[in-house]
Amino acid sequence: MRHQWALVQRLARQCAASRASTTLPRRLLASQCPILRRQPFSSTPKRREDDAFLGWLPPRTHSASSIYASDEGKEVTLSGWLLPCRKISNSLSFHPLRDSTGVVQLVARNELVQTLANLPPESVVHVTGQIGKKKQKQQNPPLRAGESSRLPSSTAQDEVEVEVFSYHLLGRATSSLPFQPSDAHNLPSEELRAKYRYLDLRRPQLTHNIRLRSRVTHAIRSYLHDEGFLEIETPLLLRSTPEGAREFLVPSRLAPASEQDEEVDAGAPTFYALPQSPQQPKQLLMASGVTDRYFQIAKCFRDEAGRKDRQPEFTQVDLEMAFVDGAAPPQARDGWAIGGSQVRRVIEGLVRAVWREAKGVDPLEHEETGFEVMTYQDAMRRYGSDKPDVRFGLEIVDLCPYIRDKLERFKSSSSSSSASPHALAKLLLHKSSHLRSHLEDLEINPADLDAELLAQGVAEALRVGRADPNTLTSDGQEEDVHLFVNTRHSPADGGSTELGELRLRLRDALASRSLLPAHLLDPTLSQPRFLWITQFPLLTRSDPDKADLSQGRWNATHHPFTAPSVESLPALKEVLQLLNSIQGQHYDLVLNGVELGGGSVRLHSASLQRAVMEKVLALQPHEVKRFDHLLSALASGCPPHAGIALGLDRLVAMLVEQVGGTAASIRDVIAFPKSAGGRDKLFGAPSVVGGDEGGARGDEEERVLNEFRLRRKRDD
């Protein structure tokens, strides 16, 4: 009460000294003093460790990011988290206040200095005060040349401050927090931050990421709605189907719902499967005719090991379109030699809309056509990767045409200061035991080999293989040449080759030595180079980590519902040619060496889809039965359709402005991510089912195991 009356007296003296023309109105006095306003709003907090106010308060008038120098003199009400203060004296202190939009500086004077300073950092307060301009020396420096913006913690609001008249404590923070989110230089390990994710999310960078994700998602929805797409939710509890990746299973107490399971024991446990993608439901939507343009911001689940760019649960922008082209238009000249051009047009427009919203730039502003298009075989031949980074050179040249045969498992490197193509060709012929041995296997005498023709191949490698065509040494002479040679399968398969992986390692080594631009180390820090990769093989062998699921059978490169190219239809129908020669109408969108998503033209013929499952993928009858609903829908009259899915997590991670020059993990753009190993440190998942300790937990575990006829996995 004494403090409140002293505040009234101080305000009265200020009013008297300022004369009638500038007297503070009673409304302002009332907003600052509960004696005049008669409301339970006190500038002095209650002295309890568990202070957590619950009651009426004057509503917030501004956020931290909505205060500008032009608002000088205005009364504002703010709410947020207090950051560590800077106490100048017993009569002056500065207290940064953070909310979800940014940080603004509070100024406390006289009686408020000590009371605010006694509050632990990260306490939540509700303050009323007056906007003023900072002194020039207190303002942050202007943006540097080329710096377009800063994170919300250092925005244009650095010019202003708020002098506090009163405050109320909404929630006191403990004085023993595991770490201070505002101390960017003393952050703990990622594991500890994951355990206290709610604290970690208070860091300006992560707050910025989550807000950017919301803006990107809104831009995606707005664009697709404007393009006539219908947003439809598909089920999360589905039937298990063999689509490639491992599924998450959800136990159920219900009896089997499908007639095809009649032969199964009625008491057998049943399970739902969480979807790896909404692939089948969206194709059924196309067959239904309810819409010919579907999209969804879909949650998907895959029981796979976590990686920097992968989570067991993730979000994708999923879309499907009916009545699409099944082959390239006759006059196509931009390299798109497959169907699905309508999907391409929509996705390129979508990406442009997202980039304009997030970055304020148009990635196709100076392009007459769409994104660059490259076939899978060209990408593997030139870059050794199915998602090449085309921002720099170091291209790979195929020497096979220059020796009239192909190499088998050859790997060699050499350098020469007199690096003419003829000298390097002779070096390979005379010094490489691998090459000579291979030529003997082919019954080719090295002396009979056309060295001039081989030199032409080496010359081509020298032309396109440089990281920078104008690279010179410090004395103006050409650098030494390092020639790396290796083999790959023909036609190419897999996602990369040894030379493709070496190319990326060379990029990193050259960039770290300032021989290439440093921004090449981070795909988010340079101009976007979008690239479509098309005409993938329709069928491949499984990766080693999924070999047990495929049981040695062929697998669909994209998924079993991808249509073959028109040229490959005869080969597929007769299954007489080599399976790996059949191309699919499958396309991936790549940005700076990172795959953003992929899609395909679908098979809409029930008979052909069944033939792929039974004769090509060699699915067992009971496995084919799991797709009866889809085959039945295709046989009911289904239009040609195609679709694509873009990884939203990965897309936002590519858009985030990086701090420190390293690419963000997708965990930095997900509010509550899993760890690299797939565990949730915050919620403690996965966990055992049942009680917390002792025999109760063990009894509950045994009950669940028995009910669902499960058994514990043995270590052996």
Side-chain angles (χ1 to χ4, degrees), residues 307-600:
R307 296 189 318 204
K308 181 181 179 182
D309 61 346
R310 182 172 294 177
Q311 289 271 292
E313 60 173 311
F314 56 95
T315 308
Q316 66 184 31
V317 182
D318 197 64
L319 62 89
E320 196 80 7
M321 300 174 65
F323 303 105
V324 301
D325 297 332
Q331 304 288 325
R333 297 181 179 178
D334 57 0
W336 190 271
I338 58 176
S341 59
Q342 294 87 347
V343 175
R344 177 192 180 188
R345 184 193 65 79
V346 167
I347 290 299
E348 290 182 356
L350 174 64
V351 169
R352 296 177 72 178
V354 168
W355 248 253
R356 283 194 294 263
E357 170 63 29
K359 294 285 191 180
V361 299
D362 186 344
L364 282 176
E365 182 177 6
H366 303 294
E367 298 288 340
E368 296 182 0
T369 60
F371 298 151
E372 182 181 354
V373 179
M374 184 181 300
T375 68
Y376 168 80
Q377 292 297 336
D378 280 346
M380 296 296 287
R381 176 178 57 83
R382 295 172 57 189
Y383 299 101
S385 172
D386 63 353
K387 45 182 178 294
D389 186 348
V390 296
R391 296 174 296 165
F392 62 99
L394 294 177
E395 286 193 34
I396 300 168
V397 172
D398 185 5
L399 292 178
C400 297
Y402 302 99
I403 60 172
R404 296 191 179 92
D405 214 312
K406 65 185 184 70
L407 297 177
E408 297 290 340
R409 303 300 302 170
F410 169 71
K411 185 176 182 180
S412 179
S413 64
S414 61
S415 63
S416 172
S417 58
S418 58
S420 69
H422 289 82
L424 289 171
K426 291 180 179 179
L427 183 64
L428 287 176
L429 286 171
H430 290 88
K431 296 294 185 180
S432 172
S433 59
H434 296 282
L435 177 57
R436 295 179 67 88
S437 173
H438 176 66
L439 292 176
E440 291 177 3
D441 292 341
L442 297 177
E443 298 181 354
I444 298 176
N445 189 337
D448 297 334
L449 190 67
D450 190 344
E452 182 66 28
L453 187 61
L454 181 58
Q456 293 178 19
V458 174
E460 176 67 10
L462 294 178
R463 185 182 69 83
V464 301
R466 291 180 179 275
D468 183 346
N470 300 317
T471 301
L472 297 175
T473 58
S474 58
D475 58 0
Q477 300 298 318
E478 289 193 356
E479 291 183 331
D480 292 345
V481 173
H482 297 262
L483 188 64
F484 300 89
V485 186
N486 196 9
T487 62
R488 62 168 175 80
H489 292 103
S490 181
D493 58 7
S496 65
T497 65
E498 287 190 39
L499 280 184
E501 295 170 358
L502 174 63
R503 177 176 177 266
L504 297 180
R505 292 198 297 270
L506 289 173
R507 174 202 62 188
D508 296 346
L510 292 172
S512 65
R513 291 169 173 78
S514 300
L515 298 175
L516 277 177
H519 66 73
L520 292 177
L521 292 173
D522 185 351
T524 69
L525 293 179
S526 61
Q527 291 298 318
R529 286 290 303 274
F530 287 96
L531 178 68
W532 286 106
I533 303 297
T534 64
Q535 296 172 262
F536 285 78
L538 184 67
L539 304 162
T540 55
R541 294 294 187 184
S542 290
D543 296 332
D545 62 334
K546 299 176 184 176
D548 58 326
L549 296 177
S550 66
Q551 301 176 2
R553 299 175 294 192
W554 286 93
N555 286 287
T557 302
H558 185 48
H559 54 53
F561 320 114
T562 300
S565 64
V566 173
E567 296 79 9
S568 299
L569 270 174
L572 178 61
K573 289 181 176 179
E574 299 177 6
V575 198
L576 297 177
Q577 300 183 13
L578 292 175
L579 291 178
N580 61 1
S581 68
I582 301 174
Q583 293 180 352
Q585 300 199 65
H586 167 195
Y587 35 81
D588 281 356
L589 181 61
V590 176
L591 169 59
N592 295 351
V594 177
E595 179 189 338
L596 291 183
S600 66

